[in-house]
Amino acid sequence: MWVKKPRLSMLDLVPVREGGTVREALDIAVQTAQKAEELGFVRYWLAEHHNMPGIASSATAVLIGHIAGKTERIRVGSGGIMLPNHAPLVVAEAFGTLAELYPGRIDLGLGRAPGTDGATMRALRRDRLETEEDFPRDVAELQRLLGPADPQARISATPGADTHIPIWLLGSSLYSAQLAAMKGLPYAFASHFAPRFLHQAIAMYRQLFRPSAVLDKPYVMVGVPVVAAPTDEEAQYLATSSQQRVLGILTGQRGKMPPPLEGFMQMIGPREQAAINDFLAMSVVGSEETVRQGFARIQQQCEADELILVSDVYDPALRLRSLEIAAQAVAKP
């Protein structure tokens, strides 16, 4: 039984598959966003990562515009823009442009980490000295740039001013939870890859929340890895693509998304198995009924307003089927 039936959204890293191309990954992202819209998902977010051969969403704002142009109603946004990599004015102008092109459909989710390695971070920033510690100041600057136009301001964003794009704070620790609460902003926890502090973070966010001009009560989004199929056995098999990808992340061997591999978890040692299971502790894998029970369990624990799904399935058609089964699981009483 649902504590509170969640809304569904999707986060896409636009994976490049083994044997596939970047262009194919981008086309699959469009098809997936269109399917999410058909299923009634609230939003479709894209994540900023750099220097990773298996992820094609590095130019996040460009891709948001492309997908918004290929859909009609679903909100499209960033989950997130890694703010240390960018000057707030550049972000405001890019998202201000998107908001003018697709009014009422653009979200700006912000992350505090660089989303890449040190060398790539330096290549992105050049001689800028931005760090994660500058995050609160940069968030405040973005709020100003996207808020009411100020004729007296020395610097304004055009486009950007008066667009009032919804800003979300994203995080996998307690820091962004506190900042989102203090600013009265919606909060998304990255439990799809770092679930350790999930319950502590959302409890802190709700406890410290201060109403603001944009939000009168807390709003929590929780990341959930999902692989759904007609049977538990098939879903477990398809989920081995995600398990292989996670092992690559943990061992520093990032590559393209691999096809599923029968018995993968039995091929690796107990330490690697435990690390993968910790990474994917919030995952929901199985048939429609198993997925329904998994979502209900998460809701009993979190009472999230929204679940944002990550579905790493190698076959694009089976990924669409996975989302359809997940939507059916929530729709049923």
Side-chain angles (χ1 to χ4, degrees), residues 285-298:
V285 178
S287 64
E288 180 181 324
E289 178 56 24
T290 300
V291 170
R292 190 194 68 79
Q293 293 177 10
F295 286 167
R297 182 184 67 253
I298 291 170

Side-chain angles (χ1 to χ4, degrees), residues 56-251:
S57 56
S58 55
T60 315
V62 176
L63 192 50
I64 288 170
H66 180 59
I67 288 180
K70 297 290 186 178
T71 52
E72 297 178 0
R73 301 173 305 280
I74 194 168
R75 299 191 67 89
V76 188
S78 59
I81 290 293
M82 300 296 105
L83 198 47
N85 298 336
H86 310 281
L89 178 61
V90 174
V91 176
E93 290 173 338
F95 277 77
T97 301
L98 290 168
E100 296 290 355
L101 291 170
Y102 307 103
R105 294 185 56 207
I106 302 300
D107 293 328
L108 176 54
L110 300 173
R112 189 169 68 100
T116 189
D117 59 89
T120 306
M121 180 180 69
R122 288 188 290 274
L124 286 164
R125 298 178 185 177
R126 306 295 291 230
D127 58 352
R128 293 177 62 234
L129 300 176
E130 293 289 315
T131 70
E132 294 180 28
E133 304 310 315
D134 295 302
F135 188 64
R137 183 199 65 198
D138 289 347
V139 171
E141 179 68 1
L142 264 172
Q143 288 180 299
R144 183 190 70 80
L145 291 167
L146 296 172
D150 181 1
Q152 307 302 317
R154 292 183 58 200
I155 298 174
S156 60
T158 307
D162 279 327
T163 55
H164 303 281
I165 299 167
I167 292 177
W168 291 67
L169 295 193
L170 285 52
S172 58
S173 66
L174 306 182
Y175 183 95
S176 292
Q178 296 177 69
L179 185 61
M182 291 171 58
K183 287 185 166 291
L185 295 173
Y187 178 59
F189 191 88
S191 42
H192 58 286
F193 73 88
R196 179 181 176 189
F197 295 106
L198 168 63
H199 302 297
Q200 191 176 351
I202 59 177
M204 177 176 288
Y205 168 69
R206 286 175 173 142
Q207 179 182 356
L208 300 178
F209 183 84
R210 301 175 184 172
S212 68
V214 298
L215 203 60
D216 61 356
K217 61 182 180 179
Y219 193 96
V220 173
M221 178 190 286
V222 171
V224 181
V226 172
V227 178
T231 66
D232 288 346
E233 292 75 18
E234 183 183 356
Q236 292 289 347
Y237 169 66
L238 295 176
T240 60
S241 290
S242 179
Q243 293 162 353
Q244 292 175 75
R245 181 186 67 84
V246 170
L247 182 61
I249 293 171
L250 296 173
T251 58

Side-chain angles (χ1 to χ4, degrees), residues 67 262 307:
I67 288 180
E262 191 73 53
L307 302 181

